[in-house]
Amino acid sequence: MGHHKLERFAENLTFPNLFQVSFEMLKEGGFALRGKWAEYFGNDNPITLELGCGKGDYTVALARIHPDRNYIGVDIKGARLWRGAKTSNEEQMHNVAFIRTRIEMIEQFFAPGEVSEIWVTFPDPQPKKEMKRLTSERFLGYYKKFLKPGSPIHLKTDSAELHEYTRDEVIPAGGYRVEYTTDNLYATPAADHPEIPCLAEAQMTQTFYERMFLAEGKPITYIKFYLS
Ligand SMILES: C[S@@+](CC[C@H](N)C(=O)[O-])C[C@H]1O[C@@H](n2cnc3c(N)ncnc32)[C@H](O)[C@@H]1O
């Protein structure tokens, strides 16, 4: 393992807003903040999750714009989470936290109704393994357990396959409601379309992976939908 990674792992242990919880710890006592995130943040503001957040770009960018909401980025890779944790601590952002875990475990971190919005940003498309796709019915079933009714899920991806799978298979099969969808997010500039309010947030910032895909000339797809 690189020196660089080891340094980041060591620094991760010092960040008060980065929670690293092993499978064994979850099994033994459960996650202490489950159902208590309002106490942790010191307010009842709505909570947004970014799943597969990598460096936490969206989490940090949204949290800067919306100090009246709380943001939690989730990823399994500690060396990537380090970036978001470092920035949010340097900027003394009190509305940001990170969880290092497998998203398969996500329901153990939140009580029913505790989360008000989910962003899934450039997840691995998993063409061969439907069960591992973060928008498969398997994962939506986990999210349903803690999403407040009427909460949106946003998916941004460069993968036409994952976009179409979510839009044309999972959403109709589940009877879910789409608010807006596009095969080419930046072809409809938010500034010209105030009648589509979600465009502004979807175009507001680019993640690390998104910038790479845009540099390769790939169109970015987007869908905003509701499970209830
Ligand atoms: C292609 S990267 C995108 C990262 C970031 N959202 C971005 O756009 O720059 C996908 C991320 O999802 C994370 N990931 C994929 N499957 C996961 C899972 N089951 N549990 C936790 N993290 C996962 C990976 O570790 C990786 O950081």
Side-chain angles (χ1 to χ4, degrees):
M1 189 179 298
H3 196 54
H4 193 56
K5 259 195 185 172
L6 290 176
E7 275 172 14
R8 288 185 172 189
F9 288 157
E11 195 172 8
N12 275 350
L13 299 172
T14 71
F15 296 132
N17 64 345
L18 170 58
F19 299 95
Q20 310 194 62
V21 190
S22 69
F23 182 64
E24 288 69 31
M25 282 159 77
L26 282 178
K27 228 167 112 184
E28 274 164 29
F31 182 60
L33 291 181
R34 185 175 190 268
K36 300 205 172 92
W37 283 100
E39 271 175 47
Y40 169 77
F41 285 115
N43 58 56
D44 282 327
N45 293 343
I47 292 175
T48 294
L49 302 187
E50 185 191 3
L51 299 179
C53 71
K55 298 179 182 219
D57 301 293
Y58 238 81
T59 297
V60 169
L62 287 171
R64 283 193 192 113
I65 297 173
H66 302 291
D68 55 339
R69 299 184 68 99
N70 298 316
Y71 290 86
I72 303 174
V74 183
D75 205 289
I76 190 62
K77 294 205 172 154
R80 291 187 181 170
L81 284 174
W82 170 86
R83 180 63 272 166
K86 179 92 176 160
T87 303
S88 57
N89 277 283
E90 279 173 354
E91 295 186 20
Q92 299 183 357
M93 300 174 76
H94 299 298
N95 61 336
V96 177
F98 290 97
I99 302 174
R100 182 181 183 191
T101 190
R102 294 214 150 272
I103 296 161
E104 285 79 348
M105 308 282 169
I106 193 73
E107 64 185 278
Q108 303 200 40
F109 291 83
F110 302 98
E114 204 168 16
V115 175
S116 298
E117 182 179 38
I118 292 179
W119 281 86
V120 187
T121 51
F122 301 89
D124 301 310
Q126 302 287 359
K128 299 217 172 89
K129 293 184 191 147
E130 182 185 356
M131 289 290 280
K132 293 185 109 184
R133 296 180 199 156
L134 296 186
T135 55
S136 63
E137 184 55 38
R138 173 194 180 201
F139 279 88
L140 297 185
Y142 300 148
Y143 312 156
K144 274 178 202 170
K145 295 197 178 154
F146 54 74
L147 266 184
K148 206 179 249 181
S151 301
I153 299 181
H154 311 253
L155 169 68
K156 264 178 119 173
T157 175
D158 64 302
S159 164
E161 291 77 12
L162 185 68
H163 178 70
E164 285 163 16
Y165 161 78
T166 307
R167 185 192 64 194
D168 301 338
E169 293 184 41
V170 183
I171 291 177
Y176 307 136
R177 180 171 69 84
V178 174
E179 179 178 320
Y180 182 74
T181 179
T182 172
D183 292 342
N184 190 353
L185 176 62
Y186 296 99
T188 312
D192 301 340
H193 293 274
E195 77 283 6
I196 315 173
C198 61
L199 278 177
E201 212 147 32
Q203 293 178 6
M204 171 206 62
T205 191
Q206 282 79 41
T207 70
F208 178 72
Y209 272 84
E210 182 171 5
R211 287 192 294 273
M212 294 200 298
F213 297 135
L214 286 169
E216 291 168 19
K218 284 191 171 176
I220 303 302
T221 72
Y222 170 69
I223 188 161
K224 178 177 183 183
F225 65 104
Y226 297 83
L227 302 181
S228 63

